Amino acid sequence: MHKMSIPLYLVTGFLGSGKTSFLKHFLGQNQGKGRVAIIQNEFSSVNIDGREIQQLGNYRILEINNGSVFCVCLLGSFIKSLAAFIDDVKPDSLIMEASGMSDPVSLGQILLAPELKNKVYLAHVWSVVDALNFSRSIHLRNRILHQLRIADTIIINKTDLAAFETEVVMDEVRKINPFARIVKATYAQVDIKERNRALNLFPVGEDTEGQSSRPDLESVVIKTAREISRGKLEHFIGKIRDQNIRCKGHVRITGGKQVFLQGVFDDFSAEPLAGSTGPTELVILGNFGRGVNLQNLFETSCFDD
Amino acid sequence: MEGLKLLERAFRLEETEHAPWVPFVGVHGGKLIGVDAEAYLKSSKNIIEGISKAVEMYKPDGIPVVFDLQIEAEILGCRLAWSKENPPAVISHPLAEGVKLSELQLPVKTDGRFPVELEAASRLRKKYPELALYGLITGPFTLALHLMGTDIFMNMFEDPDRVNEVMNFCTRVGIRHAGMLIDAGCDVIAVVDPMTSQIDPDSFKTFVSPSAGLIFDFVRAKNKYSSFFVCGHAQQNIEVMCDCDPDNISIDENIPLDYVKEIALSKGISFGGNLKLTSVLLLGNEQDSRKEAVTCLDLGGNQGFILAPGCDLPMDTPESNLVAVTEMVYDEYSRQVVREMKQSSSLEPLNMEGHWIEGKVVIDVITLDSSSCAPCQYMMEAVKQAASDFGDRVIVTEYKIKGKDGIRMMLSLGVQNVPTTCINGKVSFISQIPPKSEIVKAIENALS
């Protein structure tokens, strides 16, 4: 029987921002809507007590041994454990609470591994921001900058404690990622039905979790630090337009500037991003088949003569 | 092998005949000898065996003795969680759990796993006198984070004096560790501070630069070289890293190599990186690795550039991918082939209709160009000479992959390497030039 790939929801955010509250809220809202499994950093300081989760429902948890300091170099062994976990638990969806220092794009990248390809795709990234602490120091803002950039939904949390700061934080966050949905919350209570909206697949509010209408998808993360000309970028997009359902991310354009690229099938927009630097990071959702290596196709289309 | 001399030239920004190659073999050494990460990092014998295997397979110019950023933290009281496929992880932070900074002692060389590391370094020094040995120390900011936990970030804002005190201590630990590694025979001290990617340049200058600068001064006073490793999104800090005055900075795939090259060279500092760890070295194949290596080598150039992965190689990195990178470092022809082959994905195979002739043997030699590539020239000469005995019963054609038809023929015949000789469409001789008698025999077989 053909197996559908499983959506992976990622929750990022600075320590103490409310990731755990959001996770509990998410689980509560998903009761009776398919089997949700949880991926957690075993030694995270904000690790939810297993018993607390079990009170909310019978959840299976995959613990990752990456310690408090999380580095991309340590992701290799995660591939095997996640593949085995999926085979064992057969969840309908996965939610992953990333440690404050992890790089969500690198996490998405490992879903390209043969063991995980066509099994799981990166469906939605929530980033939780502590409204009270965000404006307090540039050190903190810099730390979560990258997580904010890749988020689909940014939750400005603890707004009850930071009435004055909230609007300032909203403005700051919007400057960093003008394309994410930004919502205010207390105790991370937000409408999670919006999670499929970023895919542009389902009408807003319709919850198709665990239903047969769920598309068979994979997510591919493309990374490169090299500059790309707009023309070659368009050439690449043209090549994948039939299989590409949604594409989103930052692209380093010739001259060192960045654009934010997003689109559905072959309908794309590329908006310049002022003051933004860094490598190209694209998340593409679609159905590309086992034999296709999108990173290679990207490099060939964008860099080879 | 004169890797150390080559690296010294790169550190001094002199031109090098090829970019020095420094594969960051950490627990990957365990894979090479069939032991898990814990068994590897706890045994000098295993480390020596793993590194020796890596030296044999990857022909590096330099190599780290041990890649483990938890050695100092463990000695200072951080608890570790060991795993089979990764270096250990720090799971407790003494300064966040009631231990006072004044209670922490500067480590000595008999503490923790220092003896394992130092013994491995001194034995490898004796075994490989011409290889550059990298001794790695945990960068002061990453060590401070190990000791304080994520409190450090709030403390930078709320209690900067406290952070400075901890940083001072971590700097003294780093200098002491660097001294031990130099005494054990290391040539290059790498200050590995990945967590600095989490802070902005002003914080870097305030909290990290004074510490890092002291360590680099110490290494220089010992007449050794230093490198500053960072991984992750640290582009904002490249300039301030260079201003700490190391001999080299080393970065991963998150930072554009051309950007680092420009900044580093303008400040008179060599630079290294940035082979893609996950998507290419771990998950890609040999051809992906060749292309990636050539891309880095072409961007980096032959002045002040060191080819390296951006970080500790994942344990399961296929050996064949690293061997493929090695091939690119040493073989200019192979690099040229890869450059030409980059075009291949946009081309269709040649239509082979009419290519084969009944009663005749068709020999196709795929070359880079026999007029400029010596191995290709010898292959062509050998085949032509062997074929001359058979007159017009044998048709020999050279296909140069510098031209599109050559690449299309290569695709049609399923050829992967250059030069390759195909007899009646079958790949018969790859890269190595066979003796005439073997070619003659192969032609006779094809005729019969």
Side-chain angles (χ1 to χ4, degrees), chain B residues 104-222:
Chain B
L104 296 181
Q105 302 282 319
L106 282 176
V108 294
K109 64 182 180 183
T110 50
D111 284 347
R113 285 181 291 125
F114 277 161
V116 170
E117 178 191 42
L118 298 173
E119 188 185 347
S122 63
R123 292 218 189 159
L124 287 167
R125 172 74 299 148
K126 287 193 187 91
K127 190 169 179 183
Y128 300 109
E130 290 171 344
L131 177 71
L133 283 184
Y134 277 57
L136 270 56
I137 66 169
T138 309
F141 189 74
T142 300
L143 183 58
L145 183 61
H146 281 327
L147 295 175
M148 296 176 77
T150 44
D151 288 354
I152 193 171
F153 294 108
M154 287 306 277
N155 277 197
M156 284 164 76
F157 177 63
E158 290 172 345
D159 192 356
D161 290 345
R162 160 100 173 137
V163 175
N164 275 327
E165 273 177 55
V166 178
M167 287 295 289
N168 287 341
F169 175 76
C170 293
T171 308
R172 288 160 67 205
V173 174
I175 287 174
R176 191 168 272 213
H177 189 190
M180 293 175 201
L181 289 163
I182 289 169
D183 291 345
C186 290
D187 310 290
V188 182
I189 295 299
V191 177
V192 189
D193 220 345
M195 287 303 133
T196 58
S197 64
Q198 305 279 328
I199 58 175
D200 64 291
D202 283 341
S203 308
F204 190 103
K205 276 195 273 187
T206 308
F207 296 104
V208 182
S209 297
S211 296
L214 285 174
I215 300 174
F216 297 131
D217 288 347
F218 170 80
V219 175
R220 191 165 291 115
K222 291 272 185 183

Side-chain angles (χ1 to χ4, degrees), chain A residues 19 24 53 79 119 132 148 189 193 197 226 231 277:
Chain A
K19 292 195 294 292
K24 285 197 267 186
I53 288 183
I79 295 169
K119 272 190 180 172
L132 191 61
L148 289 176
Q189 306 278 314
K193 285 179 184 167
R197 186 176 161 187
R226 296 174 67 189
T277 56

Side-chain angles (χ1 to χ4, degrees), chain A residues 15 73 80 136 139 296 300 304, chain B residues 150 157 203 288 311 316 345:
Chain A
L15 188 71
C73 331
K80 282 185 194 163
R136 288 177 76 178
H139 317 310
N296 280 353
T300 314
D304 296 349
Chain B
T150 44
F157 177 63
S203 308
D288 301 334
C311 189
D316 275 344
S345 65

Side-chain angles (χ1 to χ4, degrees), chain A residues 22-222:
Chain A
F22 177 76
L23 179 56
K24 285 197 267 186
H25 171 65
F26 181 94
L27 295 174
Q29 296 289 304
N30 267 283
Q31 300 247 357
K33 295 178 185 169
R35 195 174 344 180
V36 183
I38 301 160
I39 308 167
Q40 260 202 320
N41 189 340
E42 189 177 357
F43 304 109
S44 155
S45 314
V46 289
N47 195 4
I48 301 186
D49 189 312
R51 282 168 303 181
E52 203 178 340
I53 288 183
Q54 296 311 331
Q55 282 173 3
L56 293 167
N58 185 24
Y59 296 106
R60 290 287 296 273
I61 303 172
L62 171 65
E63 292 183 327
I64 326 167
N65 167 14
N66 277 315
S68 313
V69 175
F70 195 95
C71 184
V72 58
C73 331
L74 305 181
L75 286 172
S77 65
F78 177 55
I79 295 169
K80 282 185 194 163
S81 48
L82 180 56
F85 180 72
I86 290 170
D87 286 344
D88 178 31
V89 177
K90 299 180 178 60
D92 295 306
S93 62
L94 287 158
I95 182 156
M96 176 164 183
E97 184 186 342
S99 91
M101 271 166 282
S102 63
D103 173 357
V105 172
S106 299
L107 289 172
Q109 213 174 9
I110 65 154
L111 305 184
L112 283 170
E115 295 94 325
L116 295 172
K117 205 165 172 343
N118 300 103
K119 272 190 180 172
V120 57
Y121 69 96
L122 185 61
H124 197 106
V125 181
W126 277 283
S127 189
V128 189
V129 172
D130 177 347
L132 191 61
N133 281 317
F134 185 79
S135 301
R136 288 177 76 178
S137 164
I138 194 165
H139 317 310
L140 306 182
R141 197 157 54 225
N142 207 74
R143 287 202 50 231
I144 56 171
L145 189 76
H146 190 71
Q147 298 185 346
L148 289 176
R149 279 177 37 168
I150 204 70
D152 296 298
T153 301
I154 297 169
I155 302 169
I156 312 292
N157 199 27
K158 304 187 188 179
T159 50
D160 52 332
L161 302 175
F164 176 70
E165 294 93 338
T166 298
E167 290 309 316
V168 179
V169 175
M170 295 278 283
D171 287 347
E172 286 286 320
V173 166
R174 198 169 285 118
K175 273 184 213 156
I176 295 166
N177 186 344
F179 307 97
R181 180 174 158 254
I182 302 173
V183 292
K184 295 183 208 171
T186 54
Y187 299 102
Q189 306 278 314
V190 294
D191 180 5
I192 61 158
K193 285 179 184 167
E194 293 276 348
R195 68 180 174 278
N196 288 324
R197 186 176 161 187
L199 283 167
N200 285 306
L201 292 173
F202 314 111
V204 174
E206 184 182 334
D207 198 329
T208 57
E209 201 58 50
Q211 305 297 310
S212 58
S213 60
R214 194 175 73 208
D216 189 13
L217 281 178
E218 63 180 307
S219 60
V220 178
V221 169
I222 290 174

